[in-house]
Amino acid sequence: MAATTPQNAGLSAVPSYEQEQSQARFDALIEQDSRIEPRDWMPEAYRKTLTRQVSQHAHSEIIGMQPEANWITRAPSLKRKSILMAKVQDEAGHGLYLYSAAETLGTPRDELNDQLMSGRAKYSSIFNYPARSWADMGAIGWLVDGAAIANQVPLCRASYGPYGRAMVRICKEESFHQRQGFEILLALSRGTEAQRKMAQDAINRFYEPSLMMFGPPDEQSPNSAQSMAWKIKRFSNDELRQRFVGMIAEQVKVLGMTLPDPELRFDEETGRWIHKELNWDEFMAVIKGNGPMNSHRLERRREAHREGAWVREAAAAYARKYENSEVA
Ligand code: FAQ
């Protein structure tokens, strides 16, 4: 390698002809609403931001299994139990598609997993709140999966191929999840006074955290502008949040329940939904690891990983056996 001299210092920062061509091809694909595929050249910052978002999303699906999995044994009927079990399994599947999509960007799954278990990686704030009652299964399905769909349907058109394609299947399953949550709340809303109270209490506790799932307000969202320019995100955090709040404002009427937001209204002039100021200090505390359930969720994840060691060893031994055999 040539030594750096005052004459050539800084030359490496000047893009080569090939780099310029690659950047131009990438820009054109984004401009045409085409897809970037794993073998295509992409700017390092694009790769990094996608790895961050897709892996955080995968971690959310995996950690998000916990609040509902804790209720499988306490579901009120065999039918409810089997539905809930299927839902929790779906979330595991979503985590796996998303880890696969993240791996195509070059970071191995073990490393992504380490980032989660060591507390270095974020996952959705919502899963750091406890699920206290059976009605919470309804509120999680209706509000949490509902917010997830509102956020994720536009991600089906994300510019990175493997992410967009994974999102198509995930969104189909999330729609079923939302309906099952709504149906749990509907059954409770038509039940006894105690059941109605339980449903209302669950809605009250999950309303604000579900609105915070969309991320900080636009002016405090450092990643949004670039992610939207790259067509990873198609709408801003606030745009999606107010779209979601408008949807649930109508649906809650069918339940005969209320949303804990006296300020909620549709503003005819701006064509936007107005909702109360959310507690962003609480949000920041939760995403920094200080929410009510953060340490519990991570400890449970590490425990499950330790308990699953024999499964990973057996799978690896099985794969080695077939790698070495003639049948393979
Ligand atoms: N929680 O600049 P922005 C589900 C972080 S759905 C935690 O606005 P960005 C389904 C953000 O990472 C839940 N952290 O960031 C299910 C960034 O920090 P960083 C998962 C959050 O990326 C249902 C910083 O704040 N869905 O799991 C949150 O442009 C039921 C600044 O924020 C997805 O992940 C938050 N809520 O926008 C499963 C969807 N919000 O990384 C089981 C894909 C923001 O710079 C049961 N992700 N932060 O250190 C996205 O659409 C985006 O990443 C956003 C955030 C919208 C979440």
Side-chain angles (χ1 to χ4, degrees):
M1 190 197 272
T4 307
T5 63
Q7 285 73 29
N8 70 11
L11 271 188
S12 58
V14 178
S16 66
Y17 177 70
E18 285 77 19
Q19 275 170 325
E20 274 176 3
Q21 292 290 97
S22 303
Q23 179 74 51
R25 184 170 175 276
F26 172 86
D27 292 343
L29 286 172
I30 299 284
E31 173 67 26
Q32 294 153 13
D33 254 340
S34 265
R35 286 220 143 128
I36 309 297
E37 296 298 338
R39 291 206 176 97
D40 291 337
W41 181 91
M42 60 188 89
E44 268 319 296
Y46 177 83
R47 187 184 297 280
K48 201 171 156 203
T49 210
L50 265 170
T51 305
R52 175 185 66 78
Q53 176 166 328
V54 180
S55 64
Q56 285 177 2
H57 193 165
H59 301 327
S60 305
E61 302 281 355
I62 298 298
I63 296 283
M65 294 164 73
Q66 292 185 32
E68 289 168 292
N70 288 338
W71 277 90
I72 291 174
T73 54
R74 290 173 286 172
S77 70
L78 183 59
K79 188 174 152 204
R80 294 284 186 205
K81 200 188 287 284
S82 48
I83 294 172
L84 190 58
M85 209 169 343
K87 179 188 190 289
V88 173
Q89 281 177 348
D90 285 350
E91 309 298 0
H94 299 173
L96 299 186
Y97 316 146
L98 289 166
Y99 281 128
S100 299
E103 279 187 298
T104 63
L105 292 156
T107 310
R109 188 169 316 193
D110 284 349
E111 202 173 314
L112 298 172
N113 215 6
D114 279 352
Q115 289 172 3
L116 171 66
M117 288 191 299
S118 63
R120 278 176 291 140
K122 291 192 174 75
Y123 57 87
S124 183
S125 48
I126 190 75
F127 303 117
N128 295 304
Y129 293 87
R132 295 191 196 286
S133 72
W134 171 251
D136 287 13
M137 299 303 98
I140 291 177
W142 177 45
L143 295 175
V144 176
D145 286 277
I149 298 169
N151 165 264
Q152 290 169 21
V153 166
L155 292 174
C156 296
R157 294 191 294 120
S159 56
Y160 188 57
Y163 190 34
R165 287 189 288 273
M167 291 316 304
V168 172
R169 178 158 174 190
I170 292 177
C171 284
K172 284 187 183 151
E173 294 178 352
E174 300 291 23
S175 308
F176 156 75
H177 297 167
Q178 189 193 21
R179 276 167 171 260
Q180 69 85 41
F182 187 81
E183 205 271 327
I184 290 175
L185 291 178
L186 192 62
L188 293 173
S189 74
R190 292 173 178 167
T192 63
E193 192 45 35
Q195 287 172 322
R196 286 182 57 78
K197 267 198 179 145
M198 183 167 62
Q200 184 63 62
D201 171 63
I203 294 170
N204 292 350
R205 281 181 291 106
F206 277 92
Y207 173 72
E208 198 168 334
S210 70
L211 292 193
M212 294 198 278
M213 285 173 70
F214 295 91
D218 292 349
E219 61 282 6
Q220 291 162 38
S221 164
N223 301 303
S224 279
Q226 182 60 76
S227 290
M228 286 172 73
W230 277 328
K231 298 184 179 167
I232 298 170
K233 283 168 90 162
R234 297 285 181 155
F235 298 97
S236 76
N237 298 355
D238 286 331
E239 280 170 332
L240 292 174
R241 185 171 11 254
Q242 68 102 30
R243 195 179 282 187
F244 170 68
V245 87
M247 194 176 80
I248 60 173
E250 293 304 316
Q251 292 174 349
V252 77
K253 294 179 192 159
V254 181
L255 293 174
M257 303 266 146
T258 55
L259 293 174
D261 188 345
E263 291 167 47
L264 187 60
R265 67 181 173 88
F266 185 70
D267 183 25
E268 298 284 350
E269 251 173 50
T270 57
R272 292 176 75 85
W273 285 86
I274 310 290
H275 57 77
K276 70 178 180 184
E277 186 56 39
L278 304 175
N279 186 346
W280 293 110
D281 291 341
E282 177 181 304
F283 172 79
M284 288 315 294
V286 171
I287 70 172
K288 284 187 180 143
N290 301 319
M293 298 298 282
N294 292 64
S295 54
H296 177 86
R297 298 284 186 240
L298 273 189
E299 191 37 55
R300 182 69 199 102
R301 181 72 208 93
R302 291 187 200 109
E303 193 182 287
H305 190 73
R306 280 196 299 274
E307 284 170 3
W310 70 272
V311 180
R312 292 191 298 279
E313 278 161 27
Y318 185 80
R320 272 197 303 277
K321 181 176 164 196
Y322 278 93
E323 246 168 44
N324 297 334
S325 83
E326 286 172 13
V327 216

